[in-house]
Amino acid sequence: MSSPLEVLKKKFGYDEFRFQQNEIIDTVLAQEDTFVLMPTGGGKSLCYQIPALLFEGLTVVISPLIALMKDQVDALRVNGIRAGYLNSTLSPGQQSQVMRLVRNKEIKLLYMAPERLFARDSEFMEVLKSSGISLIAIDEAHCISQWGHDFRPEYLKLGALKDKFPDTPVIALTATADKLTRKDILEKLNLKKPKTFVSSFNRENIHYYIEPKKDSYARLLEFLEKHNDESGIIYSLSRKSTEALATKLVHDGFSAKPYNAGLDRETRARHQELFIKDKVKIIVATIAFGMGIDKSNVRYVVHMNLPKNIESYYQETGRAGRDGLQSDALLFYSKRDLAMLKDFARVDDNEEQSKIMLDKLSQMGYLCESKTCRRKFILNYFDEEHGGNCATCDVCLSDYEEIDGTVIAQKALSAIARLKENYGMNHVIDFLKGSKTKKIPDWQREIKTYGVGSDHSREEWSSFFNDLKMKGYLDQNESNYNTLSLTGKSWNILKGKEKIRFLRAVSRRETGNGISYEKVLFDRLREVRSKVAERENTAAFIIFSDATLVELASRLPKSIEELGFIKGFGEAKIERYGQEFLGEVVDYCREFGLESQFKQKQYKQRAKKSAGGRSQTKIESLKLFKEGNSTPEIAGLRGLGVNTIEEHLSWFVGEGELSVEDLVPPQKITPIQDAIKEHGWAALRPLKDALGEDYTYGEIKAVVEVVKSEG
Ligand code: ADP
Ligand code: ZN
């Protein structure tokens, strides 16, 4: 039997466990009940998928997110894992098909909605009982609790699972649960002395930016330009505003679609599908969007309006960066939004509830207004310690620089003098900035100082004024409309006898994700991925995450062997897609004269993951071939792709155990040999391109093996 780590490497192509995955998996394998609280993107799925592969029987996964099931099952299938799902989107025929798979023990994992499990006919329950379930996983476990934010009555029935399957271990998982909800989940599920694992809620790869809402559309455009061609979600408050904003963005050349409850089902589903398949980059949505999607390469989330509490903010921003790559969360904050939400927060005839909601809202306001590290603030809100200084939020990224403020102060003070010490700060700033507002009468526009301060922003001016006030160069007369007036000290500055220094905020917004990679290659790999996804009729990120493509584009593997060390390339994916992606990398490196970034010793020490040599799987294919089966028949028998079988067989041609004529029709051999003369045999892609559709990779590979072995 393999170890969990071996399964992680072979099946999922990852090198090490994250967070507490390892301990969690061990607990489940020891058949104990387990409760897992881990943030979105933390890697909850592997906590039951790996045990599922190691256990004898079936693992049943309960999830309320029907829309996700197909994706989850597809993701397992492309990793060569047999899985199925049962929900109301399947026809009765398809459902009996799945039941048959369960009965014949042909799948390891079965995803299903809770209501299916307890459907009127007990037949299904009987099938499950008699076929032996090794593990029950309950995803989104907070749905069982009224205290949670997403209670689903049908989840309550899951309490009965322990009666029906007393000896089957249960693992319950969720990304959101406060202490109260947590306790409730364990009770309602009747778990037996569950081991609880709580991971940190810190999403390090999400960078937080909160800005005052000012010229927010222009700021948004600036932000989107930096995220050119990446996927993102923009949350806006109303149905109308989502549609207006999407239209405006399209007009400005972006690929955007709206999503809100007012659109009809079909349109909504279509927009979501386009987004998931990377055909539309931006979804402008009300908060309704996101529950049912599991897109891992969302690179940013923007809030045009204030969320109503930190829980929502955390959850919505958390939809970015599930693949672990750097992602940005941008929020535009205004006091007006805060005031407006206060009206909504009141729950009629329920003082207590209203108070809780208002409290949560004001916490959200504090988060925006405070000068504390955003990450620290959020984590503390969830009762988690954090030292601050995260270097990845707008607060931590703002620096203060000291500047010589003498000239600035002279401008400010002389403006006050010229305006006869008769005006408040806002007016003086308008005056300094040369504002066209009617509030400034004509005589003031004639003054020389009018407009001399246009090189500083309004915020900067108000911070300079506050500084001057604090340092005693300025008086503010509170009993007289807050008018500003000079002090004795002011004249020292005006006469140039004294100098003054100011602190000015400078923001370092850009951080970059630290990985340098070939951007052009990355784009090309994305295209390959789209093509593959199209062919497999699934979403691109299910084939490979962006993280995998970034790693390809930075490490530049030159062989199947090196490809095996890229995260996300497990055995099945190497076999199925290895050549295609490798070909693209090799072509690119040749075009630009780049070398593989793998160091020889790096992979000598590590276990061989790819099937570079004689392996059991190849021998199996050879055996079936010698028994007289055709390549497609072997593929069918073994549940592998035709390409893979051809790869296996052609390897034996190189070893002299099969002859090339066994695999390639005689009339094709010469053209392939000619193509090899022209293009070489380092990569198969150029050969395939030259030869065209009629030639398979397997045929080309077989001839290449002969040429290679002949030296
Ligand atoms: P969750 O369900 O907790 O939101 P997922 O199970 O969907 O998270 O995992 C998020 C992403 O992280 C997936 O792309 C998954 O393949 C990846 N992942 C999970 N565990 C690991 C690991 N140990 N190493 C690398 N990537 C991992
Ligand atoms: Zn910070």
Side-chain angles (χ1 to χ4, degrees), residues 8 12 14-18 21 38-46 48-49 139 175 294 296 322-324 541 545 567:
L8 180 75
F12 296 95
Y14 298 135
D15 284 328
E16 59 209 358
F17 285 112
R18 286 203 305 221
Q21 279 174 334
M38 203 188 264
T40 308
K44 284 188 285 301
S45 324
L46 289 185
Y48 55 82
Q49 287 169 347
D139 211 356
D294 189 4
S296 71
R322 295 178 68 124
D323 53 13
F541 63 87
S545 72
K567 283 193 205 70

PDB file of all heavy atoms in Angstrom, residues 8 12 14-18 21 38-46 48-49 139 175 294 296 322-324 541 545 567, ligand 1:
ATOM      1  N   LEU A   8       0.002  11.741  -2.934  1.00  0.00           N
ATOM      2  CA  LEU A   8       0.039  13.174  -3.237  1.00  0.00           C
ATOM      3  C   LEU A   8       0.913  13.444  -4.462  1.00  0.00           C
ATOM      4  O   LEU A   8       0.556  14.203  -5.357  1.00  0.00           O
ATOM      5  CB  LEU A   8       0.581  13.953  -2.030  1.00  0.00           C
ATOM      6  CG  LEU A   8       0.676  15.471  -2.197  1.00  0.00           C
ATOM      7  CD1 LEU A   8      -0.707  16.100  -2.101  1.00  0.00           C
ATOM      8  CD2 LEU A   8       1.594  16.094  -1.147  1.00  0.00           C
ATOM      9  N   PHE A  12      -1.529  13.639  -7.624  1.00  0.00           N
ATOM     10  CA  PHE A  12      -1.837  15.058  -7.714  1.00  0.00           C
ATOM     11  C   PHE A  12      -0.633  15.894  -8.160  1.00  0.00           C
ATOM     12  O   PHE A  12      -0.776  17.077  -8.456  1.00  0.00           O
ATOM     13  CB  PHE A  12      -2.370  15.567  -6.367  1.00  0.00           C
ATOM     14  CG  PHE A  12      -3.668  14.919  -5.982  1.00  0.00           C
ATOM     15  CD1 PHE A  12      -3.683  13.803  -5.150  1.00  0.00           C
ATOM     16  CD2 PHE A  12      -4.871  15.395  -6.486  1.00  0.00           C
ATOM     17  CE1 PHE A  12      -4.877  13.182  -4.806  1.00  0.00           C
ATOM     18  CE2 PHE A  12      -6.075  14.787  -6.144  1.00  0.00           C
ATOM     19  CZ  PHE A  12      -6.075  13.678  -5.310  1.00  0.00           C
ATOM     20  N   TYR A  14       1.924  16.967  -6.449  1.00  0.00           N
ATOM     21  CA  TYR A  14       2.466  17.930  -5.476  1.00  0.00           C
ATOM     22  C   TYR A  14       3.538  17.273  -4.624  1.00  0.00           C
ATOM     23  O   TYR A  14       3.505  16.075  -4.384  1.00  0.00           O
ATOM     24  CB  TYR A  14       1.362  18.464  -4.558  1.00  0.00           C
ATOM     25  CG  TYR A  14       0.280  19.210  -5.282  1.00  0.00           C
ATOM     26  CD1 TYR A  14      -1.062  18.974  -4.990  1.00  0.00           C
ATOM     27  CD2 TYR A  14       0.588  20.159  -6.255  1.00  0.00           C
ATOM     28  CE1 TYR A  14      -2.070  19.665  -5.653  1.00  0.00           C
ATOM     29  CE2 TYR A  14      -0.417  20.846  -6.913  1.00  0.00           C
ATOM     30  CZ  TYR A  14      -1.741  20.591  -6.613  1.00  0.00           C
ATOM     31  OH  TYR A  14      -2.731  21.270  -7.264  1.00  0.00           O
ATOM     32  N   ASP A  15       4.467  18.088  -4.156  1.00  0.00           N
ATOM     33  CA  ASP A  15       5.597  17.535  -3.426  1.00  0.00           C
ATOM     34  C   ASP A  15       5.417  17.456  -1.924  1.00  0.00           C
ATOM     35  O   ASP A  15       6.029  16.642  -1.260  1.00  0.00           O
ATOM     36  CB  ASP A  15       6.858  18.364  -3.707  1.00  0.00           C
ATOM     37  CG  ASP A  15       7.389  18.047  -5.079  1.00  0.00           C
ATOM     38  OD1 ASP A  15       7.221  16.888  -5.495  1.00  0.00           O
ATOM     39  OD2 ASP A  15       7.940  18.951  -5.733  1.00  0.00           O
ATOM     40  N   GLU A  16       4.650  18.376  -1.378  1.00  0.00           N
ATOM     41  CA  GLU A  16       4.510  18.330   0.081  1.00  0.00           C
ATOM     42  C   GLU A  16       3.120  18.760   0.506  1.00  0.00           C
ATOM     43  O   GLU A  16       2.408  19.428  -0.244  1.00  0.00           O
ATOM     44  CB  GLU A  16       5.561  19.234   0.738  1.00  0.00           C
ATOM     45  CG  GLU A  16       5.450  20.668   0.290  1.00  0.00           C
ATOM     46  CD  GLU A  16       6.794  21.389   0.342  1.00  0.00           C
ATOM     47  OE1 GLU A  16       7.777  20.770   0.753  1.00  0.00           O
ATOM     48  OE2 GLU A  16       6.814  22.570  -0.028  1.00  0.00           O
ATOM     49  N   PHE A  17       2.785  18.383   1.747  1.00  0.00           N
ATOM     50  CA  PHE A  17       1.478  18.747   2.276  1.00  0.00           C
ATOM     51  C   PHE A  17       1.489  20.181   2.758  1.00  0.00           C
ATOM     52  O   PHE A  17       2.535  20.719   3.124  1.00  0.00           O
ATOM     53  CB  PHE A  17       1.090  17.802   3.413  1.00  0.00           C
ATOM     54  CG  PHE A  17       0.663  16.461   2.920  1.00  0.00           C
ATOM     55  CD1 PHE A  17       1.436  15.333   3.173  1.00  0.00           C
ATOM     56  CD2 PHE A  17      -0.495  16.327   2.184  1.00  0.00           C
ATOM     57  CE1 PHE A  17       1.041  14.092   2.697  1.00  0.00           C
ATOM     58  CE2 PHE A  17      -0.900  15.096   1.701  1.00  0.00           C
ATOM     59  CZ  PHE A  17      -0.124  13.973   1.961  1.00  0.00           C
ATOM     60  N   ARG A  18       0.335  20.788   2.736  1.00  0.00           N
ATOM     61  CA  ARG A  18       0.205  22.154   3.227  1.00  0.00           C
ATOM     62  C   ARG A  18      -0.550  22.138   4.546  1.00  0.00           C
ATOM     63  O   ARG A  18      -1.340  21.249   4.806  1.00  0.00           O
ATOM     64  CB  ARG A  18      -0.611  22.977   2.230  1.00  0.00           C
ATOM     65  CG  ARG A  18       0.149  23.328   1.006  1.00  0.00           C
ATOM     66  CD  ARG A  18      -0.398  24.540   0.309  1.00  0.00           C
ATOM     67  NE  ARG A  18      -1.804  24.465  -0.036  1.00  0.00           N
ATOM     68  CZ  ARG A  18      -2.290  24.916  -1.197  1.00  0.00           C
ATOM     69  NH1 ARG A  18      -1.486  25.408  -2.094  1.00  0.00           N
ATOM     70  NH2 ARG A  18      -3.568  24.878  -1.433  1.00  0.00           N
ATOM     71  N   GLN A  21      -2.664  19.275   6.457  1.00  0.00           N
ATOM     72  CA  GLN A  21      -3.197  18.192   5.625  1.00  0.00           C
ATOM     73  C   GLN A  21      -2.710  16.816   6.070  1.00  0.00           C
ATOM     74  O   GLN A  21      -3.490  15.868   6.168  1.00  0.00           O
ATOM     75  CB  GLN A  21      -2.800  18.410   4.164  1.00  0.00           C
ATOM     76  CG  GLN A  21      -3.677  19.397   3.417  1.00  0.00           C
ATOM     77  CD  GLN A  21      -3.145  19.668   2.017  1.00  0.00           C
ATOM     78  OE1 GLN A  21      -1.956  19.536   1.756  1.00  0.00           O
ATOM     79  NE2 GLN A  21      -4.035  20.060   1.115  1.00  0.00           N
ATOM     80  N   MET A  38     -10.618  25.312   7.616  1.00  0.00           N
ATOM     81  CA  MET A  38      -9.466  25.752   6.832  1.00  0.00           C
ATOM     82  C   MET A  38      -9.962  26.796   5.839  1.00  0.00           C
ATOM     83  O   MET A  38     -11.046  26.638   5.273  1.00  0.00           O
ATOM     84  CB  MET A  38      -8.924  24.526   6.084  1.00  0.00           C
ATOM     85  CG  MET A  38      -7.482  24.595   5.658  1.00  0.00           C
ATOM     86  SD  MET A  38      -7.087  23.202   4.593  1.00  0.00           S
ATOM     87  CE  MET A  38      -6.394  22.044   5.750  1.00  0.00           C
ATOM     88  N   PRO A  39      -9.215  27.870   5.624  1.00  0.00           N
ATOM     89  CA  PRO A  39      -9.731  28.898   4.715  1.00  0.00           C
ATOM     90  C   PRO A  39      -9.846  28.381   3.281  1.00  0.00           C
ATOM     91  O   PRO A  39      -9.200  27.395   2.925  1.00  0.00           O
ATOM     92  CB  PRO A  39      -8.693  30.013   4.800  1.00  0.00           C
ATOM     93  CG  PRO A  39      -7.444  29.348   5.257  1.00  0.00           C
ATOM     94  CD  PRO A  39      -7.885  28.224   6.136  1.00  0.00           C
ATOM     95  N   THR A  40     -10.650  29.066   2.513  1.00  0.00           N
ATOM     96  CA  THR A  40     -10.802  28.761   1.097  1.00  0.00           C
ATOM     97  C   THR A  40      -9.432  28.698   0.435  1.00  0.00           C
ATOM     98  O   THR A  40      -8.590  29.545   0.698  1.00  0.00           O
ATOM     99  CB  THR A  40     -11.607  29.884   0.425  1.00  0.00           C
ATOM    100  OG1 THR A  40     -12.786  30.063   1.179  1.00  0.00           O
ATOM    101  CG2 THR A  40     -11.963  29.538  -0.999  1.00  0.00           C
ATOM    102  N   GLY A  41      -9.257  27.729  -0.412  1.00  0.00           N
ATOM    103  CA  GLY A  41      -7.982  27.626  -1.119  1.00  0.00           C
ATOM    104  C   GLY A  41      -6.910  26.919  -0.301  1.00  0.00           C
ATOM    105  O   GLY A  41      -5.795  26.712  -0.760  1.00  0.00           O
ATOM    106  N   GLY A  42      -7.246  26.536   0.929  1.00  0.00           N
ATOM    107  CA  GLY A  42      -6.255  25.911   1.800  1.00  0.00           C
ATOM    108  C   GLY A  42      -5.922  24.492   1.381  1.00  0.00           C
ATOM    109  O   GLY A  42      -4.845  23.986   1.651  1.00  0.00           O
ATOM    110  N   GLY A  43      -6.872  23.861   0.715  1.00  0.00           N
ATOM    111  CA  GLY A  43      -6.625  22.484   0.284  1.00  0.00           C
ATOM    112  C   GLY A  43      -7.423  21.470   1.086  1.00  0.00           C
ATOM    113  O   GLY A  43      -6.917  20.423   1.470  1.00  0.00           O
ATOM    114  N   LYS A  44      -8.693  21.780   1.311  1.00  0.00           N
ATOM    115  CA  LYS A  44      -9.537  20.868   2.081  1.00  0.00           C
ATOM    116  C   LYS A  44      -9.794  19.575   1.317  1.00  0.00           C
ATOM    117  O   LYS A  44      -9.837  18.514   1.908  1.00  0.00           O
ATOM    118  CB  LYS A  44     -10.881  21.539   2.413  1.00  0.00           C
ATOM    119  CG  LYS A  44     -10.756  22.558   3.532  1.00  0.00           C
ATOM    120  CD  LYS A  44     -12.111  23.077   3.980  1.00  0.00           C
ATOM    121  CE  LYS A  44     -12.691  24.064   2.978  1.00  0.00           C
ATOM    122  NZ  LYS A  44     -11.832  25.239   2.746  1.00  0.00           N
ATOM    123  N   SER A  45      -9.973  19.681  -0.003  1.00  0.00           N
ATOM    124  CA  SER A  45     -10.386  18.493  -0.758  1.00  0.00           C
ATOM    125  C   SER A  45      -9.437  17.311  -0.576  1.00  0.00           C
ATOM    126  O   SER A  45      -9.880  16.170  -0.425  1.00  0.00           O
ATOM    127  CB  SER A  45     -10.497  18.808  -2.246  1.00  0.00           C
ATOM    128  OG  SER A  45     -10.988  20.093  -2.449  1.00  0.00           O
ATOM    129  N   LEU A  46      -8.141  17.605  -0.588  1.00  0.00           N
ATOM    130  CA  LEU A  46      -7.192  16.490  -0.480  1.00  0.00           C
ATOM    131  C   LEU A  46      -7.328  15.750   0.836  1.00  0.00           C
ATOM    132  O   LEU A  46      -6.957  14.592   0.933  1.00  0.00           O
ATOM    133  CB  LEU A  46      -5.752  17.009  -0.622  1.00  0.00           C
ATOM    134  CG  LEU A  46      -5.329  17.479  -2.016  1.00  0.00           C
ATOM    135  CD1 LEU A  46      -3.855  17.842  -2.018  1.00  0.00           C
ATOM    136  CD2 LEU A  46      -5.585  16.394  -3.046  1.00  0.00           C
ATOM    137  N   TYR A  48      -9.860  14.551   2.185  1.00  0.00           N
ATOM    138  CA  TYR A  48     -10.660  13.318   2.058  1.00  0.00           C
ATOM    139  C   TYR A  48     -10.355  12.560   0.771  1.00  0.00           C
ATOM    140  O   TYR A  48     -10.563  11.366   0.673  1.00  0.00           O
ATOM    141  CB  TYR A  48     -12.161  13.605   2.181  1.00  0.00           C
ATOM    142  CG  TYR A  48     -12.718  14.642   1.228  1.00  0.00           C
ATOM    143  CD1 TYR A  48     -13.049  14.308  -0.076  1.00  0.00           C
ATOM    144  CD2 TYR A  48     -12.898  15.956   1.638  1.00  0.00           C
ATOM    145  CE1 TYR A  48     -13.561  15.257  -0.950  1.00  0.00           C
ATOM    146  CE2 TYR A  48     -13.409  16.912   0.769  1.00  0.00           C
ATOM    147  CZ  TYR A  48     -13.731  16.561  -0.523  1.00  0.00           C
ATOM    148  OH  TYR A  48     -14.229  17.499  -1.395  1.00  0.00           O
ATOM    149  N   GLN A  49      -9.802  13.280  -0.237  1.00  0.00           N
ATOM    150  CA  GLN A  49      -9.535  12.569  -1.488  1.00  0.00           C
ATOM    151  C   GLN A  49      -8.394  11.564  -1.337  1.00  0.00           C
ATOM    152  O   GLN A  49      -8.452  10.459  -1.887  1.00  0.00           O
ATOM    153  CB  GLN A  49      -9.216  13.567  -2.601  1.00  0.00           C
ATOM    154  CG  GLN A  49     -10.466  14.315  -3.057  1.00  0.00           C
ATOM    155  CD  GLN A  49     -10.164  15.481  -3.967  1.00  0.00           C
ATOM    156  OE1 GLN A  49      -9.012  15.914  -4.090  1.00  0.00           O
ATOM    157  NE2 GLN A  49     -11.188  16.018  -4.610  1.00  0.00           N
ATOM    158  N   ASP A 139     -18.814  18.350   3.144  1.00  0.00           N
ATOM    159  CA  ASP A 139     -18.209  19.621   2.757  1.00  0.00           C
ATOM    160  C   ASP A 139     -19.164  20.752   3.139  1.00  0.00           C
ATOM    161  O   ASP A 139     -20.364  20.526   3.273  1.00  0.00           O
ATOM    162  CB  ASP A 139     -17.982  19.611   1.240  1.00  0.00           C
ATOM    163  CG  ASP A 139     -16.770  20.441   0.872  1.00  0.00           C
ATOM    164  OD1 ASP A 139     -16.163  21.062   1.767  1.00  0.00           O
ATOM    165  OD2 ASP A 139     -16.430  20.475  -0.327  1.00  0.00           O
ATOM    166  N   ALA A 175     -15.008  26.364   5.600  1.00  0.00           N
ATOM    167  CA  ALA A 175     -14.069  27.483   5.556  1.00  0.00           C
ATOM    168  C   ALA A 175     -14.539  28.626   6.444  1.00  0.00           C
ATOM    169  O   ALA A 175     -13.807  29.568   6.680  1.00  0.00           O
ATOM    170  CB  ALA A 175     -13.897  27.990   4.128  1.00  0.00           C
ATOM    171  N   ASP A 294     -15.911  27.760  -8.281  1.00  0.00           N
ATOM    172  CA  ASP A 294     -14.689  27.285  -7.671  1.00  0.00           C
ATOM    173  C   ASP A 294     -13.544  27.542  -8.646  1.00  0.00           C
ATOM    174  O   ASP A 294     -12.742  26.689  -8.924  1.00  0.00           O
ATOM    175  CB  ASP A 294     -14.834  25.776  -7.405  1.00  0.00           C
ATOM    176  CG  ASP A 294     -13.692  25.256  -6.573  1.00  0.00           C
ATOM    177  OD1 ASP A 294     -12.862  26.077  -6.153  1.00  0.00           O
ATOM    178  OD2 ASP A 294     -13.616  24.032  -6.355  1.00  0.00           O
ATOM    179  N   SER A 296     -10.149  28.752  -9.759  1.00  0.00           N
ATOM    180  CA  SER A 296      -8.959  28.949  -8.930  1.00  0.00           C
ATOM    181  C   SER A 296      -8.115  30.139  -9.368  1.00  0.00           C
ATOM    182  O   SER A 296      -7.327  30.651  -8.600  1.00  0.00           O
ATOM    183  CB  SER A 296      -8.110  27.680  -8.931  1.00  0.00           C
ATOM    184  OG  SER A 296      -7.498  27.516 -10.185  1.00  0.00           O
ATOM    185  N   ARG A 322      -7.269  31.220  -5.185  1.00  0.00           N
ATOM    186  CA  ARG A 322      -7.326  29.865  -4.634  1.00  0.00           C
ATOM    187  C   ARG A 322      -6.150  29.032  -5.099  1.00  0.00           C
ATOM    188  O   ARG A 322      -5.837  28.006  -4.516  1.00  0.00           O
ATOM    189  CB  ARG A 322      -8.621  29.174  -5.051  1.00  0.00           C
ATOM    190  CG  ARG A 322      -9.845  29.839  -4.465  1.00  0.00           C
ATOM    191  CD  ARG A 322     -11.080  29.144  -4.941  1.00  0.00           C
ATOM    192  NE  ARG A 322     -11.139  27.808  -4.373  1.00  0.00           N
ATOM    193  CZ  ARG A 322     -12.147  27.352  -3.659  1.00  0.00           C
ATOM    194  NH1 ARG A 322     -13.172  28.113  -3.440  1.00  0.00           N
ATOM    195  NH2 ARG A 322     -12.140  26.140  -3.182  1.00  0.00           N
ATOM    196  N   ASP A 323      -5.518  29.428  -6.181  1.00  0.00           N
ATOM    197  CA  ASP A 323      -4.364  28.668  -6.666  1.00  0.00           C
ATOM    198  C   ASP A 323      -3.084  29.054  -5.950  1.00  0.00           C
ATOM    199  O   ASP A 323      -2.004  28.570  -6.259  1.00  0.00           O
ATOM    200  CB  ASP A 323      -4.199  28.851  -8.180  1.00  0.00           C
ATOM    201  CG  ASP A 323      -4.154  30.322  -8.576  1.00  0.00           C
ATOM    202  OD1 ASP A 323      -4.001  31.179  -7.673  1.00  0.00           O
ATOM    203  OD2 ASP A 323      -4.272  30.624  -9.779  1.00  0.00           O
ATOM    204  N   GLY A 324      -3.184  29.959  -4.986  1.00  0.00           N
ATOM    205  CA  GLY A 324      -2.011  30.305  -4.194  1.00  0.00           C
ATOM    206  C   GLY A 324      -1.155  31.407  -4.794  1.00  0.00           C
ATOM    207  O   GLY A 324      -0.185  31.842  -4.181  1.00  0.00           O
ATOM    208  N   PHE A 541      -9.054  25.752 -15.759  1.00  0.00           N
ATOM    209  CA  PHE A 541      -8.310  25.601 -14.508  1.00  0.00           C
ATOM    210  C   PHE A 541      -8.399  24.193 -13.940  1.00  0.00           C
ATOM    211  O   PHE A 541      -7.701  23.850 -13.006  1.00  0.00           O
ATOM    212  CB  PHE A 541      -8.763  26.641 -13.474  1.00  0.00           C
ATOM    213  CG  PHE A 541     -10.199  26.505 -13.065  1.00  0.00           C
ATOM    214  CD1 PHE A 541     -10.550  25.652 -12.026  1.00  0.00           C
ATOM    215  CD2 PHE A 541     -11.183  27.224 -13.713  1.00  0.00           C
ATOM    216  CE1 PHE A 541     -11.874  25.522 -11.644  1.00  0.00           C
ATOM    217  CE2 PHE A 541     -12.505  27.095 -13.336  1.00  0.00           C
ATOM    218  CZ  PHE A 541     -12.848  26.243 -12.307  1.00  0.00           C
ATOM    219  N   SER A 545      -3.801  24.558 -13.004  1.00  0.00           N
ATOM    220  CA  SER A 545      -3.988  25.871 -12.395  1.00  0.00           C
ATOM    221  C   SER A 545      -2.980  26.839 -13.001  1.00  0.00           C
ATOM    222  O   SER A 545      -1.989  26.423 -13.603  1.00  0.00           O
ATOM    223  CB  SER A 545      -3.778  25.790 -10.891  1.00  0.00           C
ATOM    224  OG  SER A 545      -2.404  25.618 -10.612  1.00  0.00           O
ATOM    225  N   LYS A 567       4.787  21.219 -10.092  1.00  0.00           N
ATOM    226  CA  LYS A 567       3.612  20.970  -9.253  1.00  0.00           C
ATOM    227  C   LYS A 567       2.360  20.883 -10.113  1.00  0.00           C
ATOM    228  O   LYS A 567       2.129  21.736 -10.951  1.00  0.00           O
ATOM    229  CB  LYS A 567       3.409  22.107  -8.256  1.00  0.00           C
ATOM    230  CG  LYS A 567       4.354  22.049  -7.106  1.00  0.00           C
ATOM    231  CD  LYS A 567       3.889  23.001  -6.007  1.00  0.00           C
ATOM    232  CE  LYS A 567       5.044  23.428  -5.159  1.00  0.00           C
ATOM    233  NZ  LYS A 567       5.976  24.334  -5.855  1.00  0.00           N
TER     234      LYS A 567
HETATM  235  P1  ADP B   1     -10.478  24.448  -0.490  1.00  0.00           P
HETATM  236  O1  ADP B   1     -11.488  23.360  -0.757  1.00  0.00           O
HETATM  237  O2  ADP B   1      -9.907  24.385   0.884  1.00  0.00           O
HETATM  238  O3  ADP B   1     -10.959  25.809  -0.849  1.00  0.00           O
HETATM  239  P2  ADP B   1      -9.016  23.112  -2.562  1.00  0.00           P
HETATM  240  O4  ADP B   1      -9.066  21.754  -2.004  1.00  0.00           O
HETATM  241  O5  ADP B   1      -9.913  23.425  -3.711  1.00  0.00           O
HETATM  242  O6  ADP B   1      -9.232  24.190  -1.424  1.00  0.00           O
HETATM  243  O7  ADP B   1      -7.496  23.442  -2.950  1.00  0.00           O
HETATM  244  C1  ADP B   1      -7.137  24.683  -3.470  1.00  0.00           C
HETATM  245  C2  ADP B   1      -5.993  24.515  -4.458  1.00  0.00           C
HETATM  246  O8  ADP B   1      -4.782  24.167  -3.798  1.00  0.00           O
HETATM  247  C3  ADP B   1      -6.252  23.420  -5.477  1.00  0.00           C
HETATM  248  O9  ADP B   1      -5.810  23.871  -6.736  1.00  0.00           O
HETATM  249  C4  ADP B   1      -5.406  22.279  -4.966  1.00  0.00           C
HETATM  250  O10 ADP B   1      -5.049  21.398  -5.989  1.00  0.00           O
HETATM  251  C5  ADP B   1      -4.211  23.010  -4.379  1.00  0.00           C
HETATM  252  N1  ADP B   1      -3.532  22.233  -3.328  1.00  0.00           N
HETATM  253  C6  ADP B   1      -4.108  21.564  -2.309  1.00  0.00           C
HETATM  254  N2  ADP B   1      -3.177  20.966  -1.541  1.00  0.00           N
HETATM  255  C7  ADP B   1      -1.973  21.264  -2.077  1.00  0.00           C
HETATM  256  C8  ADP B   1      -0.606  20.951  -1.734  1.00  0.00           C
HETATM  257  N3  ADP B   1      -0.309  20.189  -0.681  1.00  0.00           N
HETATM  258  N4  ADP B   1       0.375  21.447  -2.524  1.00  0.00           N
HETATM  259  C9  ADP B   1       0.071  22.213  -3.589  1.00  0.00           C
HETATM  260  N5  ADP B   1      -1.181  22.539  -3.963  1.00  0.00           N
HETATM  261  C10 ADP B   1      -2.202  22.083  -3.224  1.00  0.00           C
END
